[in-house]
């Protein structure tokens, strides 16, 4: 049992993370919605067919971040968070825990069965895993944004029937996982498979430094474990980042451009650290 760090519900209103934003400029007028908002000027322009509508970026994933490799475990509530209503008691499965489950599906085509096998064992479709042959992992259970739930899955004792083999006199089916996966891969349209490079990056266990997987900090990294409890508290407050990157219009300051997340396949996955003291300044110290 442990007290989990506060973790709120996803907020799709944070369009800098959820939308494809080619134009990151702040709103041009006082009455315009901040650029991060759904229905902001880039979306209204789309109604006149002047630009394509902004699309949702895609399926949401969380980076793998092994807590055993974090000097400050991300998943454990810190002293200043102990009274936060979102810091709750949870049970934690120890590393090395093995879970076994029997799963049954009906009426799958061979390609659909291949997609199920590939989802459970992504290395079968994304060899040799991520760049450099890194191991691919899935997420299971709660606490995924906090680095918990990284696991491997393996399919054992695959059994397949057709209607004729199960209810009639046809011979039993000899499962052929490789054929099922090949048929799945052949059925995937190019606009989907082109995203598999990014998929391999987000499933790889070592794409990012586990020490730096955090909500956008409100202070620079040395303050993560500052002897000053107020500095540690400020570090855990992401308010300034989301305020400064909202695309809001300010009459006297044009620095609040959108800051979208990097492409998952990009080598650099950092975003700037913005402090409350930086708000309103035309320039600010930048740390990743």
């Amino acid at each position: 049992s442990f007290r989990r760090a506060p973790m709120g519900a996803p907020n799709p209103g944070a369009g800098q993370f959820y939308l494809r934003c080619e134009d990151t400029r702040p709103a041009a007028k006082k009455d315009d919605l901040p650029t991060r908002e759904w229905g902001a000027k880039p979306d209204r322009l789309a109604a006149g067919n002047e630009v394509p509508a902004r699309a949702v970026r895609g399926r949401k994933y969380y980076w793998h971040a092994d807590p055993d490799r974090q000097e400050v475990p991300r998943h454990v509530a810190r002293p200043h968070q102990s009274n936060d209503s979102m810091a709750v008691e949870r049970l934690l499965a120890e590393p090395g825990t093995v879970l076994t489950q029997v799963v049954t599906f009906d009426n799958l085509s061979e390609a659909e069965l291949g997609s199920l096998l590939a989802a459970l064992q992504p290395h079968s479709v994304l060899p040799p895993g991520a760049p450099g042959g890194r191991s691919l992992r899935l997420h299971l259970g709660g606490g995924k944004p906090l680095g918990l739930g990284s696991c491997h899955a393996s399919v054992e004792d695959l059994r397949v029937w057709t209607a004729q083999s199960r209810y009639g006199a046809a011979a039993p089916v000899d499962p052929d996982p490789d054929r099922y996966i090949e048929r799945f891969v052949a059925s995937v349209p190019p606009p989907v498979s082109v995203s598999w490079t990014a998929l391999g990056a987000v499933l790889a266990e070592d794409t990012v430094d586990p020490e730096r997987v955090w909500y956008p900090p409100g202070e620079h990294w040395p303050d993560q474990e500052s002897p000053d409890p107020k500095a540690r508290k400020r570090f855990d407050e992401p308010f300034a980042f989301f305020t400064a990157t909202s695309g809001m219009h300010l009459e006297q300051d044009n620095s609040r451009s959108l800051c979208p997340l990097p492409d998952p396949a990009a080598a650099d996955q950092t975003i700037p650290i913005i402090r409350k003291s930086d708000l309103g300044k035309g320039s600010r110290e930048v740390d990743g």
Side-chain angles (χ1 to χ4, degrees):
S1 177
F2 77 108
R3 192 163 185 80
R4 193 195 65 197
M7 190 172 65
N11 180 12
Q16 59 265 62
F17 287 180
Y18 284 87
L19 293 175
R20 292 189 181 276
C21 301
E22 302 297 332
D23 185 351
T24 61
R25 293 175 296 179
K29 299 178 181 178
K30 178 178 67 173
D31 295 332
D32 287 345
L33 287 172
T35 313
R36 80 171 192 171
E37 300 290 337
W38 302 48
K41 189 175 181 179
D43 295 322
R44 295 202 305 274
L45 287 174
N49 296 320
E50 297 180 41
V51 294
R54 292 187 298 178
V56 175
R57 289 192 66 172
R59 168 77 158 80
K60 186 172 183 177
Y61 283 87
Y62 297 101
W63 295 117
H64 296 293
D66 184 352
D68 287 342
R69 296 169 58 190
Q70 297 173 334
E71 186 172 343
V72 180
R74 178 70 186 91
H75 65 289
V76 179
R78 282 142 68 83
H80 60 267
Q81 298 169 332
S82 58
N83 293 324
D84 192 308
S85 61
M86 293 188 292
V88 294
E89 294 293 327
R90 287 290 183 263
L91 295 175
L92 185 68
E94 294 292 337
T97 298
V98 177
L99 306 175
T100 302
Q101 177 69 48
V102 176
V103 185
T104 303
F105 286 83
D106 290 329
N107 299 323
L108 296 184
S109 67
E110 289 194 346
E112 290 166 342
L113 178 54
S115 73
L116 175 63
L117 296 173
L120 292 170
Q121 301 175 144
H123 58 273
S124 63
V125 175
L126 304 171
R134 291 174 290 180
S135 176
L136 304 182
R137 290 178 176 262
L138 305 177
H139 280 298
L140 180 68
K144 292 182 281 289
L146 308 177
L148 300 180
S150 296
C151 66
H152 294 288
S154 60
V155 177
E156 301 176 356
D157 191 24
L158 176 64
R159 289 178 284 177
V160 176
W161 295 267
T162 62
Q164 293 82 3
S165 68
R166 185 163 187 171
Y167 301 111
V173 176
D174 185 17
D176 189 345
D178 292 339
R179 185 177 79 243
Y180 306 149
I181 290 174
E182 286 174 4
R183 295 199 172 180
F184 160 63
V185 172
S187 72
V188 176
V192 175
S193 59
V194 74
S195 68
W196 285 0
T197 298
L199 179 62
V202 298
L203 294 181
E205 60 182 341
D206 290 323
T207 298
V208 297
D209 180 355
E211 291 272 8
R212 296 298 176 99
V213 176
W214 210 269
Y215 289 141
E219 290 289 346
H220 295 316
W221 288 104
D223 286 315
Q224 184 185 43
E225 277 296 274
S226 169
D228 180 1
K230 292 182 178 179
R232 293 199 301 271
K233 186 175 185 295
R234 290 195 303 268
F235 181 88
D236 287 327
E237 295 175 345
F239 169 81
F241 174 87
F242 289 106
T243 299
T245 64
S246 66
M248 176 191 305
H249 172 79
L250 293 178
E251 293 290 345
Q252 304 299 325
D253 183 0
N254 199 34
S255 66
R256 296 196 178 182
S257 299
L258 235 64
C259 179
L261 290 175
D263 183 279
D268 183 4
Q269 290 297 322
T270 60
I271 56 176
I273 289 177
I274 302 173
R275 305 166 298 177
K276 282 186 179 180
S277 59
D278 295 322
L279 295 178
K281 297 180 181 180
S283 61
R284 51 182 173 255
E285 294 182 47
V286 174
D287 187 10

